[in-house]
Amino acid sequence: MYRLIALGVAVFGFLIFPIAAPHAEYALDVLFLMFLYGAMATSWNVLGGFSGQVSFGHAAFLGIGAYATALLAAAGWPLWATFPAGGLLAALYSLLIGPPAFRLRGPYFAIATIGIGEATRLIALNWSSLTGGASGVTLSSAPPAAVQYYVSLGLCAATVGAAAWIKRSRFGYALAAVRSDPDAAETLGVNTTIAKTQALFISAFMLGVAGGAYAMHYLYVSPDSTFGFSTSISVVIMPIIGGIGTIFGPLLGAAIFTALREQLEANPFLAKYSLDLSVFGLLLCGIVLFEPRGLLGIFDRLVRRGAARAPKDSVTQ
Amino acid sequence: MRHVAAALCAAAFALCAVAAPLRPTVADNGPDQIVVGAALPLTGDESRIGGFYKAAYELAVKEINDLGGLELRVYHRKIPVKLIIYDDKTDPATSRNLYERLAVQDHVDAFLGGYSTELVQAQTVVPQAHQIPYVNGGGAATEIYHRGFKTVFGVLSSIENLAYSECDFIEVMQAQGKLPKPLKMAVVWENTSHGKDFVAGLSARAKQKPKNYKIVLNEAFDLHGKDFAPLLQKVKATDANAFMSDAHLDDYITMQRQYRQAGLHHAYVTYGARGPEKAARDALGDSVNYIFAATWWNSQIPNAAVRAFDDKWAKAYPKIPQEWYAALPYETARTLFIAMTEAGSVDKVKVTEALRHIDIRDTIIPGGHIRFEADGQMVAPFVVTENLPGGKVVIVYPKSESTGSAVLPVPST
Amino acid sequence: MQDTLATLISALLAAGLYATMSYGLALIYGVLKVINLANAGVLMLGAYVTWWMWDAFHVDPLLAPIVVLPLFFLFGIVLERVAIRRVIEQEPIVSLLLLFGVWLILQNVAYAIWTGDTRSIETPFVEATFKLGGIQLAWPRVYVFVAGALTLAVLQLFLTKTQFGRAIRAVSQDREAARLAGIDVERIYAVAFGIGIALSAFAGSLLSLLFPFGPDFGGALQLKSFCVVVLGGLDSFVGVAFGAILLSLAEAFGLRWMPASLQNLISFVLLVVVLIAFPKGIAGIIRSLRRV
């Protein structure tokens, strides 16, 4: 009962925040990023968490979405129309690179995706006639901060909602089968390649749309900022920290990622030594070694331990 | 479990909301401080230069505060200046985020710019989005100013003009028979707007005067690269007699070392705006001899104002050499403060207007005149220098600023 | 003709560099079946330790391996005992993620101790050149090549002629059979991992003579290492050498007609193509040809 109230309060709070606190511009900015990262992390999770295909090159899709928005907006398209266009382009790109990459398993797939991500960045950097090369593309104006916030919030909600729906569907069960044992899944009649390709398609589409929101906010896209390896890494770290394969795990990871990055950026001592790297590195190592289900897994354990104790006490009383 | 997650997110949001300070209220007799902010590459690939900019900005601010602050007409008093500098680690995304933070959390009245075109290009979207006046002495590519950003101003003359200045000098040398005609140029340029400007300028001049120039190689290289051997192999394969590169300091050092190791030699060698830096001389020793450069300022320009600045800088920072990395940001800060004084307040619209119409005649920048064009960038002449053995640097062009004659063609070792 | 010869020599020297960087990766994969994603971090730290000894204590960088090799061998053993050991039996993606986390931490160690400024070693040797039949060569590049060739020779001798080396090969071929034969497999894991880390750090030490570097050094080179190891056949050192030569030749001659900025694209494309089409690499192709 209390949990439902807490959830309701949180949702309501987020919805009215810009209206309730009109002068908290900075908090609005941070929350925008938190929800955007939440959408990005959830998108990756559909492929990496649900179907177990860990990709280190997902920035390619974010970049395509970001550039699509920037270039189409410059050509006169209204902003809202550029988002689905960017998503579609990213999804189409996934159809191109998916099938050959999916012939690889596990770590080999991961390494191939590093290569694919880098190759996409190099193409964007060198295909100047299309992308402007190293100069990047600048958008002329951005919608007001409150509008951006609701776009990001809506995107996050839509992505999480889609993830929840997928997980509970037959498709989701097929993906889970692919994740735990691809060969057994095949014998059960699941076409693993098609399942993985579909998951990638959805993942790429969502990340492409998120890329559009990214461009809308940052107003300037360049090959390094959108296609860079560090972007790919952050999209992997967030779901792993929060809880890979779950619905809310990526969002939790995104919240922590945003808060930590924000605090570390401006603190001169911490920024000088780039301590965010250690924090995420240690979290990653810790999770891999001790609790692969991430922070949600840890909370689950604590909750279970608490629940296991309570009945015992009541029995002895 | 999922509710726990949601509750945690709510907690994170609550923390952020509480942590965000409210906007300070401004009383009728004006703010307590004038807040000016910048993000500089204090660590990372451009850290050698970030330090110069920080020192220059701090010197300019100190001079103002030593006099009690900036005299602003509207408030009938002097108000001290508070300077906030963040480290963007030579990363464009971080740079942009930090300017955003300066705008919405630190509530700056104006921005001072960072250093290096790729960072300036990323960070300038913030002054545009918030319509905050922004003056920089660290980004010279024309693309920065061709985006219609009305509050962005630049004290560095464009790289295209840099290329033209070097070409003017080359033509004088060709007339004197010291350089071959046409000069066959192998042009390698960093893959940024900066490099694009450089090759655009050279190409335009080559098209205009085909008897003087011929471009035999035109290749881009990735910024902060480490291995230039393949690129230099390509240069070797041409019959060029001039090596024209556009690079930033760390690439200049790496490339010149590998250039020498590959056994390359040309009659004319330039790295665009890099050449006489002490850091390069320390790293490369004699390998920097006879390199030409076109820069925005040089400490040896023979006039009294420049000498006065040299003395002032030497007194304040005896360990930091007097290079254009010191003079330009200093003049940038001075320009902003003069604009504020002319506007008479910190009102962003008024300060922007004042910058648009500014006309400063007592500057140490060559040309002696600070004035912004319609696109926000300044146009000023460059000085061309040559490195000579023994750690000497001589200004060879234009004649009015020259301190010696050029040694050309570059002697072979 | 002179031009082609110069390109060939340059490619050969580059191959020596690529091979040296990849031996550690190949050993660790061959024995533990673990992909060392922290290879770049180790390379980077090897370079930093070399630079630091030169900058702070004026130690000639050519002498640095005396310290670097044992230091990182110990580090490798500790890392294996503490962390890698726990995840060897799990699916390979787990160790990949773990080592990725380790890479992040290693980068931070570098930032914390030496800041993010670019570092480079500047000694007369680093700039020195000599002429060989009209072609100018840089001493450091030749030195790296020779060091790499010696490393290959020493490794081969170690693996074929010594007891320990043979035990390592047994474990890499079939760990259960090796266990049954009485080999202490856990000990082999630790030692092999230690040697692999030491080799990578040694490569980093050599690289510090050639390039300037920062804490994120090694990322791009790491992908080339993967390409070399995969090309070579994942568990053969001679294969690694051949893979390195193939990659460097592809790059050197590919650059004749493509922009220099696309050089890294060659290794990426090769990597993906080989992973998909020839997963057993060159060694696998040769083996299957022998069978025919």
Side-chain angles (χ1 to χ4, degrees):
Chain A
M1 188 58 215
Y2 297 118
R3 294 188 202 158
L4 221 56
I5 293 178
L7 182 62
V9 166
V11 170
F12 183 67
F14 287 131
L15 276 171
I16 65 156
F17 181 68
I19 309 165
H23 288 304
E25 286 176 2
Y26 191 62
L28 202 64
D29 196 51
V30 172
L31 285 174
F32 170 91
L33 282 176
M34 183 178 101
F35 289 124
L36 182 64
Y37 286 148
M40 285 162 56
T42 309
S43 309
W44 181 90
N45 199 35
V46 168
L47 182 71
F50 292 177
S51 68
Q53 308 301 306
V54 174
S55 155
F56 278 103
H58 253 52
F61 307 121
L62 184 83
I64 290 178
Y67 266 88
T69 293
L71 291 169
L72 290 172
W77 284 44
L79 214 54
W80 60 264
T82 64
F83 292 173
L88 199 60
L89 282 168
L92 287 172
Y93 187 67
S94 82
L95 286 177
L96 185 67
I97 59 172
F102 283 135
R103 291 176 63 178
L104 302 166
R105 293 269 186 102
Y108 303 113
F109 174 75
I111 291 179
T113 58
I114 299 180
I116 291 171
E118 264 302 287
T120 313
R121 186 187 69 87
L122 277 177
I123 293 172
L125 185 62
N126 285 285
W127 197 354
S128 318
S129 48
L130 177 68
T131 64
S135 323
V137 181
T138 313
L139 284 89
S140 51
S141 67
V147 170
Q148 289 190 34
Y149 171 80
Y150 283 120
V151 167
S152 174
L153 180 59
L155 195 61
C156 186
T159 321
V160 172
W165 184 74
I166 290 173
K167 191 160 188 202
R168 309 250 158 120
S169 69
R170 273 190 67 179
F171 178 53
Y173 288 131
L175 291 178
V178 170
R179 181 183 73 207
S180 46
D181 193 338
D183 298 313
E186 283 279 350
T187 59
L188 286 171
V190 175
N191 186 326
T192 55
T193 309
I194 292 196
K196 287 191 261 185
T197 308
Q198 285 171 327
L200 177 61
F201 188 87
I202 295 169
S203 173
F205 178 81
M206 297 201 290
L207 201 52
V209 175
Y214 178 101
M216 168 190 76
H217 181 76
Y218 282 103
L219 286 180
Y220 173 68
V221 293
S222 69
D224 279 333
S225 62
T226 49
F227 289 102
F229 187 51
S230 53
T231 310
S232 285
I233 294 170
S234 49
V235 156
V236 174
I237 288 180
M238 291 187 276
I240 292 183
I241 291 177
I244 196 170
T246 65
I247 297 168
F248 278 92
L251 185 54
L252 179 60
I256 292 172
F257 183 79
T258 313
L260 264 167
R261 268 251 301 247
E262 200 273 300
Q263 288 304 312
L264 289 168
E265 218 172 39
N267 183 320
F269 174 75
L270 295 173
K272 185 165 175 201
Y273 299 114
S274 290
L275 283 174
D276 53 324
L277 287 167
S278 275
V279 171
F280 294 122
L282 282 165
L283 270 171
L284 197 59
C285 289
I287 285 170
V288 163
L289 287 172
F290 302 117
E291 180 50 88
R293 292 180 305 158
L295 285 172
L296 282 185
I298 294 176
F299 290 128
D300 199 42
R301 257 201 238 177
L302 291 172
V303 162
R304 278 214 203 121
R305 216 178 280 170
R309 267 195 223 121
K312 237 185 7 188
D313 290 343
S314 61
V315 161
T316 55
Q317 264 165 3
Chain B
M1 183 158 68
R2 7 188 226 121
H3 306 301
V4 174
L8 274 159
C9 292
F13 131 73
L15 261 166
C16 292
V18 165
L22 297 164
R23 187 193 297 277
T25 49
V26 178
D28 275 345
N29 65 340
D32 292 327
Q33 286 178 327
I34 301 171
V35 185
V36 169
L40 294 171
L42 300 175
T43 58
D45 289 309
E46 297 288 3
S47 61
R48 284 195 234 226
I49 298 172
F52 278 94
Y53 276 63
K54 180 166 183 279
Y57 287 161
E58 284 173 348
L59 180 64
V61 168
K62 182 171 180 298
E63 283 181 352
I64 299 283
N65 285 341
D66 282 347
L67 296 171
L70 263 187
E71 174 81 52
L72 293 180
R73 256 193 338 268
V74 168
Y75 314 117
H76 309 294
R77 64 190 177 94
K78 287 189 174 175
I79 307 181
V81 175
K82 177 175 164 194
L83 177 67
I84 304 176
I85 295 183
Y86 289 131
D87 176 11
D88 64 18
K89 303 195 250 195
T90 322
D91 177 57
T94 310
S95 194
R96 181 242 168 251
N97 287 344
L98 289 169
Y99 273 89
E100 181 78 24
R101 171 185 283 264
L102 284 166
V104 300
Q105 194 177 37
D106 299 308
H107 303 293
V108 295
D109 297 304
F111 290 126
L112 284 172
Y115 170 72
S116 129
T117 292
E118 49 154 5
L119 296 175
V120 168
Q121 197 147 24
Q123 70 199 208
T124 37
V125 297
V126 177
Q128 164 70 0
H130 297 276
Q131 292 292 295
I132 297 177
Y134 169 99
V135 195
N136 91 91
T142 49
E143 270 183 40
I144 298 171
Y145 307 97
H146 284 177
R147 300 185 284 178
F149 289 178
K150 294 278 178 249
T151 64
V152 169
F153 298 91
V155 171
L156 288 185
S157 188
S158 78
I159 303 293
E160 264 188 53
N161 287 333
L162 189 154
Y164 294 145
S165 290
E166 268 205 82
C167 288
D168 290 340
F169 167 66
I170 289 173
E171 284 159 35
V172 170
M173 291 292 107
Q174 283 173 327
Q176 289 179 11
K178 287 188 173 177
L179 277 177
K181 210 171 148 173
L183 187 70
K184 290 187 259 191
M185 310 192 285
V187 185
V188 305
W189 43 281
E190 63 172 44
N191 197 356
T192 61
S193 307
H194 193 285
K196 280 190 202 169
D197 259 10
F198 185 68
V199 72
L202 289 178
S203 305
R205 185 57 72 92
K207 207 161 172 198
Q208 208 189 9
K209 300 191 175 176
K211 291 215 184 78
N212 295 74
Y213 309 97
K214 188 161 175 282
I215 296 181
V216 297
L217 180 72
N218 180 343
E219 282 255 352
F221 61 86
D222 274 346
L223 198 59
H224 310 308
K226 310 287 186 257
D227 185 11
F228 296 114
L231 184 66
L232 292 171
Q233 279 281 80
K234 280 195 155 181
V235 172
K236 214 171 187 178
T238 66
D239 60 343
N241 41 37
F243 179 63
M244 326 279 284
S245 172
D246 182 68
H248 274 78
L249 185 59
D250 62 329
D251 289 336
Y252 159 40
I253 292 175
T254 310
M255 192 181 280
Q256 179 62 10
R257 170 177 296 144
Q258 293 178 8
Y259 173 93
R260 278 304 191 94
Q261 284 189 320
L264 285 164
H265 173 266
H266 296 90
Y268 185 85
V269 176
T270 181
Y271 282 84
R274 321 294 151 205
E277 286 83 347
K278 182 171 179 296
R281 171 78 64 176
D282 289 342
L284 295 168
D286 285 332
S287 292
V288 304
N289 288 343
Y290 309 113
I291 289 178
F292 288 86
T295 57
W296 290 272
W297 184 88
N298 189 283
S299 63
Q300 290 173 77
I301 293 174
N303 73 46
V306 170
R307 270 195 294 276
F309 175 81
D310 288 347
D311 290 336
K312 178 159 53 177
W313 187 269
K315 220 158 117 204
Y317 301 115
K319 291 231 169 93
I320 306 183
Q322 293 126 29
E323 299 179 3
W324 74 260
Y325 306 121
L328 268 294
Y330 176 80
E331 289 295 278
T332 303
R334 232 172 47 92
T335 304
L336 175 63
F337 295 138
I338 291 174
M340 282 181 165
T341 312
E342 281 180 12
S345 78
V346 291
D347 179 86
K348 299 185 173 68
V349 174
K350 294 215 179 96
V351 173
T352 307
E353 266 309 295
L355 282 167
R356 196 162 292 142
H357 299 124
I358 210 156
D359 194 334
I360 302 175
R361 302 273 175 158
D362 66 341
T363 173
I364 53 174
I365 293 176
H369 189 189
I370 294 183
R371 200 184 62 92
F372 299 117
E373 302 288 304
D375 61 3
Q377 191 173 20
M378 195 166 99
V379 173
F382 290 79
V383 286
V384 178
T385 61
E386 183 180 15
N387 295 341
L388 291 179
K392 292 213 275 285
V393 173
V394 65
I395 302 177
V396 296
Y397 184 85
K399 211 142 184 211
S400 51
E401 260 95 353
S402 77
T403 60
S405 42
V407 175
L408 263 179
V410 171
S412 35
T413 36
Chain C
M1 185 52 217
Q2 181 85 315
D3 188 35
T4 314
L5 189 63
T7 308
L8 266 170
I9 293 184
S10 177
L12 201 62
L13 294 179
L17 177 67
Y18 293 158
T20 314
M21 276 173 0
S22 312
Y23 291 135
L25 205 64
L27 181 64
I28 290 176
Y29 184 77
V31 179
L32 291 97
K33 306 290 182 266
V34 158
I35 297 179
N36 183 9
L37 211 56
N39 195 39
V42 176
L43 257 152
M44 176 266 294
L45 280 181
Y48 263 106
V49 168
T50 307
W51 171 83
W52 190 41
M53 294 202 307
W54 169 76
D55 184 66
F57 309 112
H58 305 291
V59 173
D60 192 316
L62 296 175
L63 295 173
I66 299 176
V67 168
V68 166
L69 280 166
L71 179 68
F72 282 88
F73 176 68
L74 279 166
F75 172 65
I77 292 191
V78 167
L79 187 60
E80 199 276 334
R81 282 260 145 84
V82 164
I84 314 295
R85 166 156 308 193
R86 298 173 198 247
V87 298
I88 287 182
E89 300 298 325
Q90 297 182 38
E91 39 180 22
I93 193 73
V94 177
S95 56
L96 194 97
L97 288 169
L98 176 68
L99 282 162
F100 184 72
V102 170
W103 183 17
L104 291 177
I105 298 173
L106 292 179
Q107 279 185 43
N108 209 159
V109 166
Y111 268 112
I113 303 178
W114 296 293
T115 81
D117 291 345
T118 312
R119 308 286 179 190
S120 62
I121 296 183
E122 291 137 15
T123 67
F125 180 74
V126 164
E127 308 265 348
T129 59
F130 66 96
K131 266 196 155 69
L132 185 71
I135 302 174
Q136 180 149 335
L137 296 172
W139 262 119
R141 282 192 187 246
V142 173
Y143 175 72
V144 168
F145 179 81
V146 170
L150 274 172
T151 308
L152 177 62
V154 167
L155 271 173
Q156 284 294 100
L157 276 171
F158 175 70
L159 287 176
T160 49
K161 298 280 190 269
T162 70
Q163 182 92 315
F164 218 94
R166 280 199 286 264
I168 287 182
R169 275 169 59 215
V171 171
S172 69
Q173 274 165 16
D174 189 335
R175 67 173 75 149
E176 285 316 315
R179 208 190 293 269
L180 288 171
I183 294 177
D184 184 349
V185 172
E186 267 68 43
R187 192 148 154 257
I188 297 291
Y189 282 163
V191 171
F193 195 81
I195 296 177
I197 296 288
L199 281 171
S200 293
F202 174 58
S205 176
L206 292 174
L207 285 170
S208 71
L209 298 169
L210 296 176
F211 306 125
F213 55 89
D216 53 3
F217 183 63
L221 290 171
Q222 178 157 266
L223 224 76
K224 295 198 191 194
S225 289
F226 287 142
C227 181
V228 165
V229 170
V230 166
L231 263 175
L234 290 169
D235 54 4
S236 150
F237 289 122
V238 177
V240 167
F242 276 119
I245 292 176
L246 213 77
L247 175 63
S248 64
L249 282 174
E251 286 184 338
F253 286 103
L255 276 173
R256 286 278 184 95
W257 47 269
M258 70 163 60
S261 47
L262 288 176
Q263 186 195 15
N264 288 343
L265 213 54
I266 298 176
S267 49
F268 301 147
V269 169
L270 256 177
L271 173 67
V272 175
V273 162
V274 173
L275 270 177
I276 296 172
F278 307 109
K280 295 247 163 36
I282 299 174
I285 297 175
I286 295 177
R287 262 182 240 137
S288 54
L289 282 174
R290 275 211 207 117
R291 268 187 244 130
V292 164

